[in-house]
Amino acid sequence: MEPPKISSTQFTIIVILFTIGSSILIIPSGLAEASEQDAWISGIVGLAGGLLVIILFNVLGKQDLSLTLLENCEVILGKVLGKGLSFVFLSFFLLLASTVVWDLVNFLTTHILINSPIEVISILFISLVIFATRLGLETVVRCGEIFFPWVIGLFCLWILFALPDAKFTNLLPIMEDGLRPIWKGATLSMSIPYLQLLVFLMIYPAVHTKKTGKSLFIGTLIGGLFLITIIIACLLVLGVNGTIIQSHPSYILGKKISFGNFIQRIEVIVAIIWMLTIFFKLVVLFYATTIGFAQVLGVRDYRILTFPLGIILLVLSLIIFPNDTYANEFATTSWLPYSFTICIILPLLLILIAKIRKKAHKA
């Protein structure tokens, strides 16, 4: 198979769509619960920390731009240990993909397709993801280029219509409880979505430019600014309590918008933005998982693995969380140390071992 090739602009766009992804609906309530009216500050601190993590990813990716994350693992650690660590990363990608599917299905059955069978929605959406993955990365990113202006345009309209209902007093008092709540929210913000961008190290070889790291950094920055804007909008319109009690506050924000008694209840804009961005996020995760398993197992054509991995993804998405309460508890407790270990500690160890091996080789 001829390896895919995408431009730096296409790479930046897909990073932005991935960063917005499921975070557009779930991050505002999580940060508001952790930091209350200072959630927007947590978002900024989380973005700053996320950009530092991107620098770490770029250092690891530049060990050899022609190799994916898993291939670099084998080069740095050797075949046996490298494959073992590769399965650890693959399990992270697969688990993350299953949570994204669960988020999607939970949103649809809560607000739009109420009382619809979750199995049917999951099967339909995963089938679409499998179809897109089989078409290849180049097709997916070109599709992202087409939809990206629509996402930007709808987002701007959504924020514009929300401004008349904004109450800036909702952001006061600033830092009432000190730095601790802000740091708590910032760590949550880093884990969702910035640490998840580790998956793009699986796409590095496809980017037909030497500016891959810059594109990843810029895409993360722009996507992060989108999320900070969403957090601020939810706080200004819904207030702290209104943001906390809603599992999807940005969607409720769309419901509350009333512009001149003419434009009302534009929550469909939020739904469209989220459906588009979460689709691309899930396709990137599933694509990275399939090519990762293909590389580890020595399969030439990754498409052979799309259907069995799609079935595994379906089963995981149905059993991973029994309810919203469990999902929120997992996101704020277990997910934080797990994602920080996979996405920060392990890459740091890989970089350290690679440098030690290079010095030993020179000696």
Side-chain angles (χ1 to χ4, degrees):
M1 276 185 68
E2 185 179 347
K5 293 181 180 179
I6 61 176
S7 68
S8 58
T9 302
Q10 290 174 326
F11 187 63
T12 302
I13 289 174
I14 207 70
V15 170
I16 295 171
L17 295 175
F18 183 99
T19 305
I20 297 173
S22 53
S23 306
I24 189 176
L25 285 181
I26 63 176
I27 274 295
S29 60
L31 290 193
E33 185 175 359
S35 309
E36 297 186 348
Q37 69 272 10
D38 293 326
W40 63 280
I41 303 178
S42 293
I44 295 174
V45 176
L47 173 58
L51 293 175
L52 291 176
V53 172
I54 295 303
I55 294 174
L56 172 67
F57 293 166
N58 284 332
V59 172
L60 179 57
K62 287 179 181 178
Q63 296 296 319
D64 192 331
L65 287 173
S66 64
L67 301 179
T68 66
L69 171 64
L70 306 191
E71 289 171 333
N72 267 319
C73 286
E74 292 195 29
V75 170
I76 295 171
L77 299 178
K79 192 170 184 180
V80 177
L81 290 177
K83 285 187 182 296
L85 186 58
S86 295
F87 280 115
V88 173
F89 285 123
L90 287 172
S91 65
F92 175 77
F93 298 151
L94 196 56
L95 179 63
L96 179 56
S98 64
T99 61
V100 171
V101 175
W102 186 90
D103 284 334
L104 170 73
V105 175
N106 181 55
F107 168 74
L108 290 176
T109 54
T110 302
H111 299 286
I112 301 176
L113 302 175
I114 301 172
N115 296 326
S116 298
I118 60 175
E119 295 84 1
V120 174
I121 300 174
S122 299
I123 290 171
L124 289 174
F125 199 79
I126 290 175
S127 298
L128 181 61
V129 169
I130 291 173
F131 177 73
T133 304
R134 291 179 66 85
L135 290 176
L137 182 63
E138 292 180 8
T139 303
V140 171
V141 296
R142 286 171 186 166
C143 184
E145 281 186 298
I146 295 172
F147 284 110
F148 183 66
W150 289 92
V151 171
I152 299 298
L154 290 173
F155 180 85
C156 292
L157 284 175
W158 173 36
I159 298 300
L160 180 65
F161 291 143
L163 286 178
D165 296 322
K167 297 179 181 178
F168 289 92
T169 54
N170 289 339
L171 300 182
L172 301 175
I174 296 175
M175 297 181 65
E176 181 182 22
D177 298 319
L179 294 174
R180 194 170 186 177
I182 293 175
W183 175 247
K184 182 179 178 181
T187 55
L188 177 62
S189 178
M190 283 182 63
S191 66
I192 307 171
Y194 305 116
L195 295 185
Q196 301 170 2
L197 294 167
L198 175 72
V199 70
F200 282 98
L201 293 184
M202 295 297 297
I203 302 177
Y204 257 39
V207 186
H208 200 54
T209 176
K210 293 182 179 180
K211 298 180 180 179
T212 311
K214 183 180 179 181
S215 298
L216 180 59
F217 189 90
I218 293 174
T220 305
L221 176 61
I222 296 174
L225 293 176
F226 271 88
L227 295 181
I228 292 170
T229 304
I230 293 164
I231 294 166
I232 294 174
C234 288
L235 291 174
L236 290 176
V237 177
L238 300 177
V240 175
N241 294 330
T243 303
I244 292 174
I245 63 174
Q246 299 293 341
S247 56
H248 305 110
S250 52
Y251 182 78
I252 303 302
L253 174 63
K255 281 187 174 183
K256 291 179 69 67
I257 289 175
S258 178
F259 193 75
N261 293 322
F262 176 67
I263 299 174
Q264 296 180 337
R265 292 181 63 99
I266 60 170
E267 65 270 20
V268 65
I269 289 181
V270 185
I272 292 172
I273 294 173
W274 194 60
M275 290 289 288
L276 287 173
T277 55
I278 203 171
F279 168 74
F280 287 105
K281 180 173 184 175
L282 190 54
V283 170
V284 168
L285 286 168
F286 191 71
Y287 175 81
T289 303
T290 51
I291 64 170
F293 272 105
Q295 290 170 357
V296 172
L297 300 176
V299 178
R300 289 188 176 182
D301 190 351
Y302 73 91
R303 294 179 179 87
I304 299 173
L305 301 175
T306 53
F307 289 110
L309 286 175
I311 294 172
I312 294 173
L313 177 59
L314 172 63
V315 174
L316 281 176
S317 68
L318 294 175
I319 66 174
I320 189 168
F321 300 131
N323 51 54
D324 281 348
T325 304
Y326 187 95
N328 292 333
E329 183 70 15
F330 176 80
T332 55
T333 55
S334 303
W335 180 255
L336 289 175
Y338 175 60
S339 59
F340 272 77
T341 301
I342 298 295
C343 302
I344 293 182
I345 295 177
L346 292 183
L348 279 173
L349 287 175
L350 284 171
I351 293 170
L352 180 61
I353 294 171
K355 288 186 176 181
I356 292 173
R357 291 192 63 177
K358 283 181 180 178
K359 287 184 178 180
H361 182 72
K362 287 180 180 180

